Amino acid sequence: MTRDVRRLRRALLHLVLAVIAALYLSPLVYMVSTSFKTREGAGSTEPRWIPDPATLDAYREILNSADSPIVAWFANSLAAATAHAALVLVTAAPAAYALARLRFRGRNAIFAVIVATLFVPPVVLLIPNFLIVNELAWVDSLPAVIVPAAAGAFGVFFLRQFFVTLPGELEEAAELDGCNRWQIFTTIALPLARPALVTLFLLSFLTNWNDFLWPIYVLLSPESLTLPAGLGNFQGANNIRYDLLMTGAVIASLPVIALYLVAQRWVIEGISRSGLKG
């Protein structure tokens, strides 16, 4: 294959990738563009990618709205998603390590039962979870959206696939140095599993951040809502204010995009080494 042919194939590949990227990014670009438009420009039937004139009126209105406390919703979502993701790591990491590295009777059966719960539709658990949350007096409080899903099966499955790939020689060397199993887990396994832990934290954060159905059931007062639930109510009250709706969507997207940009290196490494072996 000549150099010119290779260059042509590479150029065609880059062109195809650019077209695919444009298709995925165009809704986001139009969302951001609409958030800077005037009320009349956002509601125009003629689509315009560049706002003319550009204005921050929608941001001022949505941030200063007394009926829709979006700043409180944002803070609630940020606190709930962060606490939920941290709790997922606390519950999933020890369980995954035990199922991957310890030898005990019934280990495979326990893991099979945990994986089987992945096939249970989440909507089936709405009423049982609500009854438990109600008995704990957590209704209309952030623990209701932090705790119930923190011991899910996905985190255990994801981290187990990573721990299985760790070389056994490291544990044997640590045992010869006098380390017990807990010390091996905390000083060797967890540091090596940092890419998988960061990836699981990000995925758990996104799941909680984007959750819409469960917060509607357990968060009742307007100031206690998380951002997706609050924006759902906001959309119902402003179904023709596209500038405000797109502004709310931009605000909801910012933490997700920022978190991914910061953690993308660990995410790529964690996905490449988890869930594909074992």
Side-chain angles (χ1 to χ4, degrees):
M1 184 180 298
T2 65
R3 182 177 300 179
D4 292 338
V5 174
R6 288 196 298 267
R7 288 179 177 176
L8 178 60
R9 293 184 60 179
R10 184 177 300 175
L12 291 176
L13 177 61
H14 289 171
L15 178 61
V16 171
L17 293 177
V19 171
I20 295 175
L23 290 175
Y24 277 95
L25 291 176
S26 56
L28 296 177
V29 173
Y30 195 77
M31 175 185 70
V32 175
S33 173
T34 304
S35 70
F36 289 104
K37 294 178 180 178
T38 62
R39 179 175 182 176
E40 294 74 15
S44 174
T45 57
E46 180 182 355
R48 292 184 178 180
W49 290 90
I50 300 177
D52 184 24
T55 178
L56 294 174
D57 290 346
Y59 286 90
R60 296 190 186 98
E61 185 172 347
I62 196 172
L63 292 175
N64 296 322
S65 174
D67 297 330
S68 302
I70 194 169
V71 175
W73 298 342
F74 185 93
N76 291 340
S77 283
L78 188 61
T82 302
H84 171 78
L87 191 57
V88 168
L89 296 185
V90 171
T91 58
Y97 180 79
L99 292 172
R101 310 304 300 184
L102 302 185
R103 299 291 184 267
F104 55 90
R105 183 175 299 178
R107 183 186 66 165
N108 292 334
I110 294 174
F111 180 65
V113 171
I114 292 175
V115 173
T117 61
L118 291 172
F119 299 93
V120 178
V123 69
V124 175
L125 304 177
L126 279 178
I127 294 178
N129 282 339
F130 180 83
L131 294 177
I132 295 174
V133 168
N134 187 51
E135 287 295 324
L136 294 172
W138 285 352
V139 174
D140 203 27
S141 64
L142 287 184
V145 294
I146 294 174
V147 177
F154 175 77
V156 176
F157 170 80
F158 185 81
L159 292 181
R160 177 191 176 274
Q161 301 307 98
F162 188 93
F163 287 132
V164 165
T165 65
L166 296 180
E169 292 80 2
L170 294 176
E171 296 178 340
E172 294 174 0
E175 289 177 352
L176 292 176
D177 289 338
C179 294
N180 57 37
R181 182 60 67 174
W182 178 254
Q183 291 172 327
I184 294 174
F185 169 65
T186 56
T187 62
I188 296 178
L190 286 183
L192 291 176
R194 184 177 301 174
L197 294 173
V198 172
T199 303
L200 180 59
F201 182 92
L202 179 60
L203 295 176
S204 302
F205 183 95
L206 294 179
T207 299
N208 188 276
W209 180 272
N210 294 325
D211 193 10
F212 173 77
L213 183 61
W214 177 245
I216 289 180
Y217 274 84
V218 294
L219 301 178
L220 307 179
S221 56
E223 62 275 5
S224 299
L225 293 176
T226 55
L227 196 55
L231 290 178
N233 294 340
F234 183 78
Q235 180 177 353
N238 298 274
N239 55 1
I240 58 174
R241 291 295 306 276
Y242 297 109
D243 55 333
L244 297 181
L245 297 180
M246 293 301 101
T247 300
V250 170
I251 294 174
S253 302
L254 289 178
V256 175
I257 297 174
L259 187 59
Y260 176 76
L261 291 177
V262 171
Q264 62 176 328
R265 179 169 64 89
W266 291 282
V267 171
I268 294 172
E269 184 178 352
I271 291 177
S272 65
R273 298 183 59 184
S274 300
L276 301 178
K277 300 179 181 180

